[in-house]
Every structure is written in structure tokens, then in C-alpha cells.
């Protein structure tokens, strides 16, 4: 029996791989137009088994995944991919590849974004993807090579859909970002103004906490950001993103390390009120600059030159 912060996890708490598999099973079943009771009848399994399997809360026998997928009319590629996923070791380390800078398309990311009860994100070099506005997302994805119109629109919609504003999720959602990362996030003052306004609006929502970091603060042991996800029925999990891959960590010592880093970040961060005051001040300054440019077009021309 293993424990996580004193809690039993031998079958009572699911792993990331089990949750990912369960979410994919549910997606494929629903696409086929079947209810869970339909699958129960076709497979001869209790309805509670179907529910727990799709929730990632049931340990299953070898071959169950393939049988389920065949009944749910999965494509041959889906069958191969999910059977291969099922065979991966469930040892607390999961690696997934994705397009450059875009983990949003990963099924596991979708599960975590939509199904976690609390989220804490630290990003020293960028605006956390859960806080990005549409125009900033387009700019970022284009820089990463996603330039095709349809692919870009799909990417924007996917990222916007992942943002944690659902009233069904309790939170809190806590985000830490550096002032320099925000101010240097875009070369377009209008986009920056819209982004800061969005941060102000989001920070006023229940359960949403945004903290700016002093520019002189850095975690010497980390050069990239991370996200800590929590849920009462699942193991806590850390998402660590690289340009083309994402690492998901569930082992106790790994999670404890990142929890400690978050404590250090929290101790140095501006308070929510200090952050809002800073954002209001810079929003006002940007509005003044934009008004000045609008009244003096030659100033904008000189700046662009």
C-alpha cells in the first residue's frame, strides 16, 4: 500500500494514466452515441464498473481496454494508441509529445484542466496559458509555427476552452507570473492593454488569485514554469512543460519538491491587492500612451520606424 500525504492510494485514488484512459473511453463511447448503460449491457459489466472505469477509479484486467474500445467503435488508430498507453508503466512518470509550445491538445491536459479542483501555476518567462487572451494566443501560436488559418483557429479555441472559469470547479486557481514576462509578452501596446485588463477581470472572479513576482526573484533550481493540479479523488500531479514534450509527475518526492518551490514563490510574491494595484497603474499608463498615439499618428509612425 502506498500513501500520498497520509491517504491510501491503492485503488482508491487514480493515477494520471488511468484518468487519461478513462476520459478517452468516455469520449469514444459518446461519439458512438452509446450511454453508459448501453456499454454495460453489451459488455455484461455492471454500470458502476463502466462509471469507475471512465473516471479512472477502477483497476481493470488485461484486455478490458481493447474489448471496451471494440464495442465502442473506436478507430484502428485509437485502438492501437490506447492499448499502447494502457501498457505503459504506471510508475509516477508520464511523458507526452505535442506540437511546439502547445500541450493543450493532449487528452491528459484536458482532463487536468477541466477536472482538477485546484490549480497552481508558476511561469517565470510567459503568461500562464490559462490566463492568455485570444489575440495573445494567436500571436504566441504563430511565433511557434502554427500559421495555417484553420489550425490556428483550432489552437486558439482549444486553449480558450481550457481556461478555468467553470462554476462547477471549486478552485482556488492561483497563478504566479513575473512583471517582466508580462510587460515583454507582446510588442503591441493594444494587446498588452487588453491582456492586463483580462488579468484584472480574472483576478476579481471568485477563487481566482493572480500574483506578480518581483523581477529580482528567481528559483535557481528551475528555469521553466510548472503547474500543480489537485483533486480529492486523484493523486496530486505536476505538469512540467518543455517545448515539444510534457512531463507529468505523481511520485511523492517529486510533488513535494514542487510544493516546496510554490511555498518559496508564495513567500516572495506580491499580494493579490498589490498585484491589482500594479495592474491598474500600468493599464492607466497604457491607456494614456494609446490615447497619445491616436491623437498624434506621426508618433506611432516614428515608433514603428
Amino acid at each position: 500500500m502506498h500513501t500520498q500525504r497520509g491517504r491510501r492510494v491503492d485503488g482508491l485514488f487514480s493515477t494520471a494514466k488511468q484518468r487519461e484512459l478513462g476520459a478517452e473511453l468516455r469520449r469514444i463511447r459518446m461519439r458512438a452515441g452509446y450511454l453508459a448503460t448501453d456499454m454495460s449491457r453489451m459488455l455484461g459489466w455492471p454500470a458502476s464498473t463502466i462509471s469507475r472505469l471512465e473516471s479512472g477509479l477502477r483497476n481493470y484486467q488485461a484486455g478490458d481496454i481493447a474489448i471496451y474500445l471494440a464495442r465502442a467503435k473506436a478507430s484502428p488508430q485509437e485502438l492501437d494508441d490506447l492499448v499502447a498507453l494502457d501498457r505503459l508503466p504506471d510508475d509516477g512518470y508520464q511523458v507526452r509529445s505535442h506540437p511546439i509550445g502547445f500541450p493543450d491538445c493532449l487528452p491528459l491536459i484536458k482532463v487536468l484542466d477541466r477536472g482538477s479542483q485546484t490549480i497552481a501555476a508558476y511561469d517565470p518567462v510567459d503568461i500562464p496559458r490559462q490566463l492568455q487572451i485570444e489575440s495573445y494566443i494567436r500571436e504566441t501560436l504563430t511565433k511557434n509555427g502554427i500559421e495555417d488559418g484553420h489550425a490556428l483557429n483550432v489552437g486558439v479555441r482549444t486553449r480558450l476552452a481550457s481556461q478555468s472559469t467553470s462554476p462547477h470547479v471549486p478552485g482556488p486557481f492561483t497563478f504566479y507570473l513575473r512583471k517582466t514576462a508580462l510587460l515583454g509578452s507582446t510588442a503591441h501596446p493594444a494587446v498588452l492593454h487588453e491582456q492586463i485588463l483580462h488579468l484584472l477581470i480574472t483576478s476579481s472572479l471568485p477563487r481566482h488569485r493572480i500574483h506578480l513576482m518581483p523581477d529580482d526573484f528567481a528559483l535557481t533550481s528551475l528555469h521553466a514554469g510548472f503547474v500543480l493540479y489537485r483533486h480529492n479523488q486523484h493523486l496530486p500531479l505536476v505538469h512540467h512543460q518543455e517545448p515539444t514534450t510534457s512531463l507529468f509527475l505523481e511520485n511523492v518526492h517529486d510533488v513535494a519538491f514542487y510544493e516546496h518551490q510554490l511555498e518559496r514563490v508564495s513567500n516572495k510574491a506580491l499580494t493579490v491587492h498589490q498585484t491589482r494595484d500594479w495592474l491598474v497603474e500600468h493599464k492607466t499608463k497604457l491607456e494614456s500612451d494609446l490615447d497619445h498615439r491616436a491623437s498624434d499618428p506621426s508618433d506611432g509612425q516614428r515608433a514603428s520606424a
Side-chain angles (χ1 to χ4, degrees):
M1 180 183 75
H2 302 286
T3 61
Q4 179 78 20
R5 287 188 168 274
R7 299 180 301 181
R8 289 178 51 130
V9 297
D10 53 341
L12 295 181
F13 291 83
S14 71
T15 64
K17 191 188 85 169
Q18 289 172 331
R19 294 175 71 186
E20 181 178 5
L21 276 169
E24 286 295 276
L25 296 180
R26 184 187 304 109
R27 177 184 66 81
I28 292 170
R29 168 180 63 78
M30 294 178 66
R31 185 186 65 196
Y34 293 143
L35 300 174
T37 51
D38 297 327
M39 293 300 296
S40 173
R41 184 180 63 256
M42 289 188 292
L43 293 169
W45 298 351
S48 59
T49 296
I50 302 296
S51 175
R52 291 180 63 80
L53 181 64
E54 292 184 354
S55 299
L57 293 171
R58 177 183 179 273
N59 292 323
Y60 40 83
Q61 301 299 316
D64 284 356
I65 296 298
I67 293 171
Y68 186 106
L69 290 168
R71 286 290 190 179
K73 301 179 181 179
S75 70
Q77 187 63 57
E78 289 171 331
L79 181 60
D80 290 344
D81 290 346
L82 293 177
V83 168
L85 175 61
D86 183 30
R87 291 173 178 169
L88 289 177
D90 210 351
D91 55 4
Y93 303 93
Q94 299 292 325
V95 179
R96 303 286 185 272
S97 61
H98 53 71
I100 297 174
F102 192 71
D104 313 55
C105 59
L106 297 177
L108 183 51
I109 282 290
K110 294 177 182 179
V111 168
L112 294 169
D113 283 343
R114 298 171 185 173
S116 298
Q117 292 177 317
T118 68
I119 299 174
Y122 166 71
D123 198 326
V125 298
D126 202 356
I127 300 170
R129 60 184 176 81
Q130 297 93 339
L131 297 175
Q132 296 174 5
I133 60 172
E134 180 176 348
S135 54
Y136 180 79
I137 296 171
R138 288 187 179 277
E139 195 175 309
T140 300
L141 297 184
T142 301
K143 289 178 183 177
N144 286 333
I146 303 177
E147 299 177 350
D148 174 73
H150 175 70
L152 183 58
N153 289 335
V154 170
V156 170
R157 289 197 299 269
T158 301
R159 177 155 293 183
L160 289 173
S162 71
Q163 297 184 349
S164 52
T165 56
S166 170
H168 304 294
V169 182
F173 308 110
T174 307
F175 303 97
Y176 299 95
L177 63 156
R178 296 184 68 173
K179 297 177 183 178
T180 50
L182 174 59
L183 294 179
S185 60
T186 175
H188 301 92
V191 174
L192 179 58
H193 174 265
E194 186 181 354
Q195 180 66 70
I196 288 179
L197 181 59
H198 177 70
L199 294 179
L200 278 167
I201 294 172
T202 303
S203 67
S204 68
L205 296 174
R207 311 178 308 278
H208 287 69
R209 304 167 184 170
I210 298 176
H211 300 269
L212 287 170
M213 302 299 304
D215 291 336
D216 59 355
F217 173 80
L219 293 173
T220 56
S221 55
L222 289 173
H223 301 290
F226 63 92
V227 184
L228 175 63
Y229 294 94
R230 289 192 175 279
H231 192 286
N232 289 339
Q233 291 183 303
H234 309 291
L235 294 174
L237 179 145
V238 171
H239 171 222
H240 189 67
Q241 180 186 330
E242 297 295 336
T244 60
T245 57
S246 281
L247 175 63
F248 300 92
L249 306 170
E250 292 178 289
N251 283 332
V252 174
H253 66 279
D254 292 323
V255 172
F257 169 80
Y258 284 94
E259 287 177 331
H260 177 63
Q261 301 309 308
L262 274 179
E263 289 178 3
R264 294 179 58 199
V265 169
S266 176
N267 290 335
K268 294 294 184 179
L270 274 65
T271 67
V272 169
H273 295 297
Q274 289 171 331
T275 295
R276 286 185 58 83
D277 289 344
W278 190 94
L279 291 172
V280 168
E281 177 184 345
H282 280 266
K283 181 180 76 71
T284 302
K285 181 179 183 300
L286 279 169
E287 289 170 347
S288 176
D289 291 345
L290 289 169
D291 288 343
H292 178 70
R293 292 189 183 194
S295 62
D296 186 3
S298 63
D299 184 67
Q301 293 172 358
R302 288 194 299 271
S304 62

